[in-house]
Amino acid sequence: MCSTSRLAPRKGGKIACDYTWLSDNMFTASGARCGSRFATQQSATSVQRDRLNTIHKAGEVTRRCALAAAAVRRTLCLFLGLLGAAPPGQAAAFNFASLQSLLSQQDIGSVEELIAALPAVQRNRYALVFESRSLQGASLENPRAILFGPDARFIVTFNGSPAQRGFRVVETMEFDDESKEFRLRELLFPERAAGVDKVVVSEVNPERCARCHGAPARPVWDTFPLWPGAYGGRYRAKLSARERAGLSAFLALQATHARYSGLLGVQRFADPQTFRSSALSQYAGIPAEPPNAELAIYLSRLQAQSIARQLVRQPAFDLYQYALLGLADNACGRLADFYPDALWHTQRHGFERFARDTSVTNARQAQLKAARAATAGGAAVAADSTTSDNALVQLRFVAESALGVSTQDWTLALEKGTYDFTLPPAPAQPLRETLLAEVATRDAAIQDLSRYSTSSDGDRYCSYLKRRSRAALTPSNDGAQGVVALHQTSPLARVGPTAGTLAPPAALQLCVSCHETGVAPWLPFSDPTQLTQQLRIRPSAHGALLDEIRFRLSAAAGAQHMPLGLNLSDADRDSLEAYFAALAASSN
């Protein structure tokens, strides 16, 4: 079918079905993406003059696109939009190996050269962070750019000012389809003035990355509906005054900036409808999410695959696979229905304690996140803790108590050891879909049952899962009710030393001599009981007080490292980190 609307140019007096024209202009500054909130007027001069004041123009173009789409059916327009957005073959092909080829084949020696050489599909989808807690600094005018491409399987990040930490570094994160693991790397570009001309590539998942991303590595991108410090930090809400001013400054320099000029489709950040869609686009059913939510959805899908692979590798997975699948989206009821009565009787109290600990932990995370949102310049946000459904309490209990898998690094949240899995509205839950595929390789009947599960037939899907789970976990199956060794980070295993019984390391006296004598802000380092209370709840620039201490002890702190003027040995640094972490864990 050929579009005969004004979307296609005329050739020789005839309407041309020119799909190349559509594709090439779909995401350029002069093209209007059909049916998209990213559409802008085709006047480059007005965009350059003040891109943030084009909402009425964007609305007019959107109206025209909607009328055209109605003439040739909206489905054709969306189909063409998808074709122009991300060709699947091209998206899957670009990875870290491809990037290495670019470096060698094109003799790339700078961050600027690398950005310009990246394929268009990689430079077209990105988020912008103006307050970064990563190893790369950021500011309102020079944000950290997170290029996530068509599906976030390969991510490239950089910032824009020589004054920022990590300016000569490009960070990458790659999702490996075979292992279902994330691979983090750093590329340190040379200072040509120093006579060095070789790019230094780090090992996979270096220690400095693992301090925040954990092991196995996880993506860190906060959770729906708040992304403090990123432009568009509140889901489908107006930008704050600080965000609007910052974006104006960024857009004013973007076109001529050595790095940011390589970003494609930047006009979407000038269009307020990118972050808060209009009634027209919602009515038209345009399937688009703001950049932060889009990245969150992609990362959650990949993280779900990583989690599922962790579970499948455990020896006890076959026994508990039906329970795990049934609890993956909380649609099949209570954990008790998946366990035989005798087994549930032994596990009930542990589950109730596990649920309480999760609730306390997530309430603390919600408070810290609300505080971060407030300092990022947004409106006051209520510290609304995650519901038990969004915390996957039942599935996580099975994973920790029966399979011995730690779940503290499962979430995308900045605050480690928390359990918020809230996602933007989506037709399917990624963890459930991923586990379903794994279980279906062992039980072919489960796939068909999942497609036709309805309440009218007694929900045969859930009934089947419960029946098979109880059968697998009856005492007649050897080891079915065995108790595995709990991971040391599990809430079920947090019966350890109290604050008063932990031996302080010798290096702690350096902290006391500054922070309890008036030289530095007061902190009760000599009082383990008081310090324990503050480590997990006192807000700081990099999260909780514990996160701030970890940052100040790391090389990433630069001139802000602690203790000031002293270089700790690795042994002293490790002893301090272990001591503070143990104190924080004892508070549970």
Side-chain angles (χ1 to χ4, degrees), residues 89 97 148 209 272 389 435 443 461 470 474 504 530 536 540:
F148 55 85
C209 296
D389 284 355
L435 279 174
D443 184 346
Y461 170 72
R470 288 193 298 266
T474 54
Q530 287 191 50
R536 300 297 291 268
S540 301

Side-chain angles (χ1 to χ4, degrees), residues 322-541:
Y322 296 104
L324 291 166
L325 178 56
L327 300 169
D329 60 1
N330 298 287
C332 285
R334 305 176 308 141
L335 171 60
D337 297 332
F338 291 87
Y339 278 11
D341 291 342
L343 177 58
W344 177 243
H345 179 73
T346 65
Q347 299 293 304
R348 178 178 177 179
H349 292 300
F351 171 73
E352 291 172 349
R353 178 164 62 88
F354 184 86
R356 287 195 301 269
D357 288 346
T358 295
S359 179
V360 171
T361 298
N362 278 359
R364 182 164 57 240
Q365 185 245 353
Q367 293 173 347
L368 292 171
K369 190 174 180 181
R372 287 194 287 116
T375 58
V381 178
D384 186 18
S385 59
T386 311
T387 67
S388 60
D389 284 355
N390 291 339
L392 296 179
V393 172
Q394 299 186 114
L395 180 142
R396 288 179 38 251
F397 177 79
V398 176
E400 298 214 6
S401 65
L403 274 63
V405 174
S406 170
T407 66
Q408 72 162 2
D409 288 331
W410 277 15
T411 179
L412 304 183
L414 177 68
E415 289 80 15
K416 297 181 68 173
T418 58
Y419 311 101
D420 180 0
F421 298 89
T422 313
L423 284 172
Q429 290 297 317
L431 184 54
R432 186 252 189 195
E433 296 303 305
T434 307
L435 279 174
L436 177 63
E438 293 283 0
V439 176
T441 62
R442 297 161 172 79
D443 184 346
I446 201 67
Q447 194 72 263
D448 287 336
L449 285 170
S450 70
R451 293 192 185 104
Y452 302 106
S453 59
T454 63
S455 56
S456 61
D457 66 359
D459 204 345
R460 289 188 297 163
Y461 170 72
C462 289
S463 298
Y464 179 82
L465 291 177
K466 293 172 183 176
R467 185 171 66 253
R468 292 299 302 268
S469 178
R470 288 193 298 266
L473 297 173
T474 54
S476 59
N477 290 275
D478 293 338
Q481 295 189 46
V483 178
V484 301
L486 296 174
H487 194 280
Q488 61 183 357
T489 61
S490 168
L492 297 170
R494 289 177 183 163
V495 181
T498 61
T501 62
L502 289 169
L508 184 67
Q509 189 56 40
L510 296 172
C511 306
V512 174
S513 63
C514 284
H515 287 275
E516 295 190 17
T517 61
V519 175
W522 184 86
L523 287 171
F525 281 108
S526 65
D527 188 330
T529 301
Q530 287 191 50
L531 184 59
T532 296
Q533 295 172 352
Q534 297 196 29
L535 283 171
R536 300 297 291 268
I537 64 173
R538 178 168 172 166
S540 301

Side-chain angles (χ1 to χ4, degrees), residues 229-285:
Y231 282 119
R234 293 174 297 152
Y235 184 67
R236 296 203 183 281
K238 290 182 178 179
L239 297 180
S240 67
R242 187 181 183 215
E243 288 176 308
R244 291 195 300 273
L247 268 179
S248 291
F250 166 74
L251 292 170
L253 63 82
Q254 179 269 333
T256 58
H257 193 280
R259 295 184 178 182
Y260 298 135
S261 59
L263 299 177
L264 302 180
V266 74
Q267 70 273 11
R268 84 189 71 172
F269 285 88
D271 184 356
Q273 292 186 50
T274 295
F275 307 104
R276 189 182 189 188
S277 56
S278 68
L280 176 61
S281 61
Q282 292 179 23
Y283 180 78

